[in-house]
């Protein structure tokens, strides 16, 4: 994964903190009538035992063989072989958009976070205001008090709604667009912090145009049935929401038409997701005077003043053409239509924090229509996810205290270092790279920062006010903090201690501007990381993910950033041409994968993640083999050799199925290939896989040598 946030990640394959106890251990410990301090000490002792190096354990675990469908030929469809029996005995729940073995772990994580949040809720009244436990306890309690949320109806939104209604001139419109950004409603402007692409030690302002309710520009502009149908359903959804908010039918129709007029105009000027994968395309630093010339009809002085952002230095505008389109709309769209658009952005953006009738309509469109999910998650899960999203480092602090012992963090770091060393060896032996480029690549890896588990410095959430009597206000307070916390970075040196994921997240990311990989505690639990498992399965699961993130540093995007995060071409022309030929092989391979007849993946959209998968599994495999030098091979377990265990772990970790509607959506919006192809794609390029399962040259899991993709 490139960068991202949130728990749980619904992406079937790229998706999050701490090591978990086995169910038997939890059953033994939780009923003990011990004080909290003694219980925690005992818990640590048990977890520490589980985290002992595998070589000290009497019996090392392999992959769960009961998940394997032995009626399938592994050389024909390894995803079905590795996961088929598990899928047969575990039908996808109605609440899931994607379904994988690891999804169970995500739900277990939600249950553990629920336990923490409920404990915090029980003692919040006795805690100091603004303390982590008070914030998370009262926030979660307010969210789960569904009768009160429902009884309030639209009342929590009235003040903000009325403020928009009072907009009667251009200056007031500009002020309202700026004001909504304070609660992270980007309608359509989004002023945020960003690292300077040419001086990455410095943070500058960036202004982008967002504010669209459909997933991608294609949904506004293209007339294939899947786009046209979604567009029609979106308008029906918006009409329902406006009428729920008290509008008459005719007024709601007019409001929907205004929303579509503005959002479609912005879509027409927006670059495609494929084009935006080139970081140079979004590199447009301007002065404030140049910004004013680019969009002269917006009050930029007022924008910066209301958001308390200094106007010194330059500002990045990722899509200048889009900014010009926004400016044109300011002069051509009547105020009445702008008010309708702002009302919609507010109503749609805050629907999940309002009464059930708004929340359910929001889910019916974004959950059922767009992704095919049949039922909403239970309220407690949605509230845990919201607490993690809004106050994740307050909730995550207690989580890592309970579930991430130091030994697990140490082993994960060791694995990451071993994989980095493998990439260095790979670079040193590439015959298509010259010495100068190799030296630059080595320098980049030498400066790679590896973050494991949780931040060294936790956010303090200063100024956040949470009261369990008004959930909507709690959400706004946390949103204001998040916006303020981000904007306050502008004009300062880069803080390299900040994280873009919360500790309980079962995911990881690479940040090219920081040249860092970040592995939250959420990854360090089975099935990704098993303290009692073979090295083969740990390298094959979370090791592959770590290798994936490391590979992003030298994928088709990451290769355009230097060691310090600067956007810079550090390749010779010939070397980069050779590199592009190899990445082009991956693009072509994934262009040939279909989610349904007639609808194939966009190879150029998924190339970066596919390269991460290809590099990740190759590097993790070689790092695993090298880690056994001097120790001897691991044993065959349950009839599977260590190499087979490695690949089975990868298949069970990456493999996933997804609902058909979500698969169609992902083709346009998701840079990750579907879970099936995150197994079949990289493994079919590996002779080591072919040898491990004795596959024949003609088998589907074996690509011809002339078509085999290989970079690192």
């Amino acid at each position: 994964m490139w960068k991202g946030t949130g728990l749980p990640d619904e992406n079937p394959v790229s998706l999050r903190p701490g090591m978990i106890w086995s169910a038997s251990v939890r059953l033994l410990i939780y009923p003990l009538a011990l004080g909290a301090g003694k219980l925690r000490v005992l818990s640590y002792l048990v977890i520490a035992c589980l985290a002992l190096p595998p070589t000290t354990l009497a019996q090392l675990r392999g992959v769960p063989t009961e998940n394997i469908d032995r009626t399938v030929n592994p050389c024909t469809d390894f995803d079905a072989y590795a996961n088929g029996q598990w899928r047969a005995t575990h039908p996808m729940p109605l609440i899931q958009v994607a379904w994988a073995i690891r999804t169970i772990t995500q739900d277990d994580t939600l249950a553990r976070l629920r336990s923490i949040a409920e404990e915090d809720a029980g003692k919040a009244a006795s805690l100091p205001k603004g303390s982590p436990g008070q914030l998370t306890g009262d926030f979660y309690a307010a969210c789960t008090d569904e009768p009160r949320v429902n009884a309030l109806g639209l009342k929590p939104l009235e003040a903000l709604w009325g403020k928009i209604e009072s907009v009667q001139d251009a200056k007031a419109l500009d002020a309202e667009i700026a004001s909504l950004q304070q609660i992270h409603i980007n309608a359509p402007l989004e002023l945020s912090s960003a690292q300077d692409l040419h001086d990455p030690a410095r943070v500058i302002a960036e202004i982008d145009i967002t504010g669209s309710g459909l997933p991608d520009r294609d949904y506004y502009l293209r007339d294939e049935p899947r786009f046209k149908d979604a567009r029609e359903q979106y308008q029906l959804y918006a009409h329902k929401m406006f009428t729920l908010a008290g509008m008459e039918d005719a007024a709601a129709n007019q409001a929907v038409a205004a929303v579509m007029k503005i959002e479609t105009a912005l879509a027409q000027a927006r670059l495609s997701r494929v084009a935006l994968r080139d970081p140079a395309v979004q590199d447009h630093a301007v002065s404030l005077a140049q910004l004013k010339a680019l969009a002269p009809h917006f009050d930029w002085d007022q924008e910066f003043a209301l958001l308390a952002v200094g106007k010194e230095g330059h500002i990045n505008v990722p899509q200048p053409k889009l900014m010009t389109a926004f400016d044109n709309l300011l002069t051509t769209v009547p105020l009445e239509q702008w008010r309708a658009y702002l009302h919609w952005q507010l109503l749609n953006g805050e629907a999940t924090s309002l009464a059930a009738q708004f929340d359910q309509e929001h889910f019916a469109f974004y959950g059922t229509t767009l992704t095919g999910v049949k039922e909403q998650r239970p309220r407690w899960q949605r509230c845990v996810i919201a607490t993690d999203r809004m106050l994740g480092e307050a909730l995550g602090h207690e989580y890592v205290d309970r579930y991430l012992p130091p030994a697990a963090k140490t082993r994960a770091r060791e694995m990451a270092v071993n994989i980095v060393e493998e990439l260095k060896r790979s670079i040193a032996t590439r015959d298509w790279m010259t010495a100068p480029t190799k030296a630059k690549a080595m320098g980049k890896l030498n400066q790679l920062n590896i973050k494991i588990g949780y931040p060294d410095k936790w956010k303090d959430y200063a100024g956040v006010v949470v009261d369990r009597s008004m959930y909507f206000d709690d959400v706004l307070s946390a949103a204001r903090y998040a916006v303020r916390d981000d904007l306050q970075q502008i004009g300062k040196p880069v803080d390299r201690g900040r994280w873009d994921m919360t500790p309980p997240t079962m995911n990881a990311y690479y940040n090219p501007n920081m040249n860092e990989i970040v592995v939250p505690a959420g990854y360090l639990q089975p099935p990704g990381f098993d303290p009692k498992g073979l090295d083969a399965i740990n390298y094959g699961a979370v090791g592959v993910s770590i290798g994936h993130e490391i590979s992003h540093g030298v994928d088709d995007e990451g290769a355009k950033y230097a060691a310090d995060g600067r956007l810079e071409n550090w390749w010779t022309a010939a070397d980069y041409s050779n590199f592009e030929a190899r990445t082009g092989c991956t693009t072509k391979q994934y262009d040939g994968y279909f989610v349904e007849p007639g609808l194939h993946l966009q190879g150029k959209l998924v190339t970066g993640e596919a390269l991460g998968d290809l590099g990740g599994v190759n590097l993790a495999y070689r790092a695993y083999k090298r880690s056994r030098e001097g120790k001897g091979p691991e044993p065959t377990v349950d009839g599977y050799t260590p190499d087979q265990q490695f690949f089975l772990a990868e298949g069970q970790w990456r493999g996933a199925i997804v609902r058909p509607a979500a698969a169609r959506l992902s083709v346009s919006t998701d840079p990750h290939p579907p879970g099936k192809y995150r197994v079949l794609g990289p493994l079919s390029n590996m002779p080591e896989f072919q040898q491990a399962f004795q596959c024949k040259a003609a088998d589907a899991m074996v690509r011809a040598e002339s078509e085999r993709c290989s970079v690192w």
Side-chain angles (χ1 to χ4, degrees), residues 42 121 150-151 155 169 177 205 233 260 264 270 319 340 351 415 436 441 448 453 468 537 613 628 643 653 707-708 710:
L42 180 55
N150 290 341
K155 184 176 178 60
D169 57 39
I177 290 173
Q233 291 298 317
M260 292 303 294
T264 302
R270 194 179 304 279
Q319 299 189 58
M415 196 181 308
L448 178 70
R468 65 176 63 191
I537 69 169
D613 288 342
R628 299 304 306 175
D643 280 14
W653 177 244
E707 298 178 356
R708 193 176 296 154
S710 175

Side-chain angles (χ1 to χ4, degrees), residues 435-469:
T437 304
K438 288 181 179 180
K440 292 282 189 178
M442 291 291 193
K444 184 170 185 177
L445 288 176
N446 287 334
Q447 291 190 43
L448 178 70
N449 188 20
I450 300 170
K451 295 179 177 178
I452 305 289
Y454 51 88
D456 292 330
K457 181 181 178 182
W458 298 86
K459 290 183 178 179
D460 60 11
Y461 296 99
V464 177
V465 176
V466 174
D467 184 329
R468 65 176 63 191
S469 66

